[in-house]
Amino acid sequence: MSLYSKRGVSAQKEEVHKATEKLDKGLYPFAFCKIYPDFLTGDDQWVNLMHADGAGTKSILAYLYWKETGDLSVWKGIAQDAIVMNLDDLLCVGIHDNLLFSSTIDRNKKLVPGEILETVINGSQEIFDELKQFGVNIQYLGGETADVGDVVRSIAVNGTMAARWPKDKLVTNEKIQAGDVIVGFASYGQTKYEDAYNSGIGSNGLTSARHDMLSKHYATQYPESFEPSLSDDVVYIGPYRMTDPVPGNHAGLPADLNIGKLLLSPTRTYAPLLKALISEHFDAIHGLIHCSGGGQTKCMKYLPGDFRIVKDNLFEAPVIFQLIQKASGSDLREMYQVFNMGHRLEVFTTPEKAEAMIATGRELGIEGQIVGRVEESDVKELILDVNGEKIRFN
């Protein structure tokens, strides 16, 4: 059993999928999000969507960093995580404007003061204001903030996003076909709309990253930060403190970057990029995948047939993932199905259109490259080629 499983989490969410398998799949079963008829107005040319997600256990990392440093700014990053994990999923069905957002914040009032709530709530509005500059309009409709110390140990930051959208402007993945190439866009670096280096960590796999990277100091000092029934041999087994400098010399990393800030890099939104791609190349976009939970295996859930996906030109794993793998001893198979490992957005398109899309990303400071392709096959399978090691999923 992997360390990930021993900690009570699952990269593939098998039990969740089992629990929801009888629910309506929506109008387009291969689309990245469930798409429903326009229940709000009954217009058969429009659809409704509603999506719920959040920052997950990344909030615990923010809590630890704040406790050790007093730095409140990390909580705006948590607000961004909760927003982007909703927004970028909806972007992957083509929705890039006129969205509604409601936040849900559960906290243990004895440990999490009001100034953190203010930072999360005000930070959310600041993010929406920043996105408006790129033509992505999100209305903040408030939400629920609950003091539920008997339910949460510290704080949980989540949200729900909704939209009404025209049917003829949807990306449903039904056009994915053999011969398509897959353009991956980097999750790391610094875009023109980010104010700091982004490690690429996103908001998935943070239970693993937290326990594998951080030392037993955190188990002793902050017992509220983990599930007490976990075996000691999987709790905070790493070599680092949050304020430790990043080891080694790495090109592109700020000299003053520490382990905590590396782990807490806010989830990058691809909204400015996808707004441009959908506006300029809508007909050439055959499919969109947000490589969140499930990492590089995420695409397998949304293929409209039995295809072989070959990814043999992946980005070099960013520093954060190299450090996590070294600390945890995880093999490549586990790393690539838990973490995005360098790119979190995939665009399925024709070879002829790929370079134009990559150029659009470059204008925004986002590195892009053809990471793979779609091949004909009798079975649905994925082959990752990582430095000559082939990893197969089916």
Side-chain angles (χ1 to χ4, degrees), residues 70-265:
D71 184 355
L72 276 170
S73 69
V74 294
W75 292 105
K76 181 181 177 181
I78 295 300
Q80 179 167 323
D81 294 320
I83 292 166
V84 174
M85 293 303 288
N86 282 285
L87 173 59
D88 282 39
D89 276 10
L90 290 175
L91 287 165
C92 284
V93 295
I95 298 174
H96 53 77
D97 201 3
N98 296 326
L99 295 135
L100 307 177
F101 183 79
S102 176
S103 67
T104 305
I105 305 171
D106 295 331
R107 68 160 175 166
N108 183 330
K109 186 178 180 181
K110 293 178 70 66
L111 298 176
V112 177
E115 61 183 355
I116 289 177
L117 294 180
E118 291 177 21
T119 305
V120 172
I121 293 168
N122 293 334
S124 298
Q125 185 60 61
E126 290 169 13
I127 292 162
F128 298 141
D129 292 342
E130 292 161 7
L131 286 170
K132 283 181 182 179
Q133 300 174 35
F134 296 91
V136 180
N137 293 286
I138 304 171
Q139 303 302 321
Y140 193 10
L141 303 187
E144 163 73 355
T145 302
D147 295 334
V148 285
D150 288 332
V151 178
V152 296
R153 294 181 177 279
S154 54
I155 186 171
V157 181
N158 302 298
T160 301
M161 196 165 277
R164 180 175 178 267
W165 198 251
K167 266 186 181 178
D168 62 355
K169 294 299 181 182
L170 290 168
V171 177
T172 62
N173 293 335
E174 293 171 321
K175 293 167 64 177
I176 292 175
Q177 59 190 310
D180 281 350
V181 296
I182 305 168
V183 178
F185 287 98
S187 58
Y188 63 95
Q190 186 172 348
T191 69
K192 291 184 177 179
Y193 52 88
E194 291 172 321
D195 58 12
Y197 173 84
N198 196 312
S199 72
I201 188 70
S203 288
N204 298 102
L206 270 301
T207 298
S208 178
R210 186 173 91 256
H211 286 295
D212 290 335
M213 290 285 281
L214 301 183
S215 72
K216 281 283 188 241
H217 159 78
Y218 294 96
T220 303
Q221 292 296 113
Y222 307 104
E224 69 272 22
S225 70
F226 67 95
E227 166 56 47
S229 68
L230 291 178
S231 173
D232 185 64
D233 63 356
V234 300
V235 173
Y236 293 118
I237 58 175
Y240 302 112
R241 296 275 289 265
M242 298 284 277
T243 52
D244 286 347
V246 178
N249 296 312
H250 306 283
L253 262 66
D256 60 349
L257 194 65
N258 60 30
I259 292 294
K261 285 297 182 75
L262 203 65
L263 288 167
L264 281 164
S265 284

Side-chain angles (χ1 to χ4, degrees), residues 182-186 188 313-316 343 358 367-372:
I182 305 168
V183 178
F185 287 98
Y188 63 95
N313 188 41
L314 294 162
F315 288 86
E316 179 181 356
H343 76 266
I358 291 169
E367 185 178 354
Q369 64 189 43
I370 296 176
V371 297

